[in-house]
Amino acid sequence: MSSVVNPTNIFWHECPIAKADREKLLNQQGCVVWITGLSGSGKSKLACSLGRQLHSRGKLSYVLDGDNLRHGLNKNLGFSPEHRIENICRVGEVAKLFADAGLICIASLISPYRKDRDSCRALLPEENFIEVFLNMPLELCENRDPKGLYKLARAGKIEVSGFTGIDDPYEPPLNCEIELQQKDGICPTPNEMAGEVVTYLEDKGYLIADSPVITNQLA
């Protein structure tokens, strides 16, 4: 995914404690819940609500929020197409490590390009990547505009061109595991949407170790 070429003199070292051992200790299945959608669609609130509900069930999760990561890991990246690709690449690699540690990693990013999200999916076994599409209409997101970014973009005052949904495309998932959207014109609350994700995780066996559902998927 990254344009940086790996040196040839590095080697992979196996450790005696494997992912399955850590999952048994935590009594859950390590995976990545990747929340994607337009700015203002409610990704961060959903991620926090999901983390809170999992915590109340005694399950260990960690939220990788797109804005938060740009204060540290990705603070040297802008919003050009090249930097956006690198941004998602880095988050995907970190999310993979969290999943390997046995955690339920909740990644919350606009991640507008389908190819980049698919590249992150390819880092993990297929069943360990759960793509959640927060499918909220642009009008709703723009009316919310919690950061005032849509207003700035419409006025041409954003520092860089290419604001997702205005003059840069958002490519919706084609085969996401979960799609959340308005019902009869009403947007579900973050807690309601988080409940849907928790139900999915429970039904698929992610909230216990050695799940027969996941075992069958691997067979």
Side-chain angles (χ1 to χ4, degrees):
M1 294 168 64
S2 176
S3 60
V4 178
V5 178
N6 287 331
T8 58
N9 59 336
I10 59 173
F11 303 90
W12 184 267
H13 292 276
E14 292 291 345
C15 294
I17 303 300
K19 182 174 185 278
D21 299 310
R22 295 185 285 272
E23 291 176 333
K24 186 175 181 181
L25 184 67
L26 297 170
N27 191 30
Q28 62 186 50
Q29 298 283 332
C31 63
V32 173
V33 178
W34 192 282
I35 303 173
T36 176
L38 291 170
S39 176
S41 59
K43 298 181 299 301
S44 295
K45 288 184 178 180
L46 170 57
C48 290
S49 294
L50 176 57
R52 190 181 304 113
Q53 290 193 25
L54 289 171
H55 182 79
S56 70
R57 288 170 171 254
K59 302 305 172 184
L60 188 58
S61 66
Y62 194 86
V63 175
L64 297 177
D65 182 84
D67 278 4
N68 291 354
L69 291 170
R70 285 184 176 273
H71 284 81
L73 178 69
N74 295 335
K75 66 181 178 181
N76 65 324
L77 298 177
F79 293 91
S80 67
E82 296 77 15
H83 280 199
R84 283 175 168 170
I85 292 171
E86 179 62 22
N87 179 54
I88 300 305
C89 172
R90 293 183 190 180
V91 179
E93 292 288 353
V94 173
K96 175 185 175 182
L97 293 176
F98 272 106
D100 187 60
L103 277 69
I104 298 171
C105 179
I106 306 165
S108 170
L109 305 95
I110 294 174
S111 42
Y113 306 138
R114 192 176 297 126
K115 181 179 179 181
D116 297 339
R117 298 193 304 268
D118 290 344
S119 294
C120 291
R121 180 186 291 274
L123 292 172
L124 298 101
E126 177 70 19
E127 72 285 344
N128 285 351
F129 189 93
I130 300 118
E131 190 173 26
V132 179
F133 177 26
L134 206 47
N135 186 8
M136 299 299 163
L138 176 61
E139 182 181 8
L140 172 67
C141 299
E142 195 164 354
N143 285 337
R144 287 176 173 173
D145 203 10
K147 304 171 188 174
L149 297 178
Y150 284 104
K151 184 177 181 180
L152 291 174
R154 291 292 189 188
K157 296 180 180 179
I158 293 290
E159 293 180 0
V160 294
S161 62
F163 187 81
T164 302
I166 303 298
D167 55 358
D168 199 64
Y170 175 81
E171 300 172 354
L174 298 178
N175 296 292
C176 60
E177 282 71 21
I178 303 172
E179 182 175 353
L180 301 170
Q181 54 188 326
Q182 291 180 315
K183 298 176 182 177
D184 298 322
I186 299 174
C187 182
T189 67
N191 277 333
E192 289 171 337
M193 293 189 290
E196 290 190 44
V197 179
V198 169
T199 297
Y200 177 92
L201 294 173
E202 189 170 40
D203 290 346
K204 295 296 183 180
Y206 292 98
L207 303 188
I208 59 173
D210 302 320
S211 166
V213 175
I214 294 178
T215 301
N216 289 336
Q217 289 174 348
L218 290 170

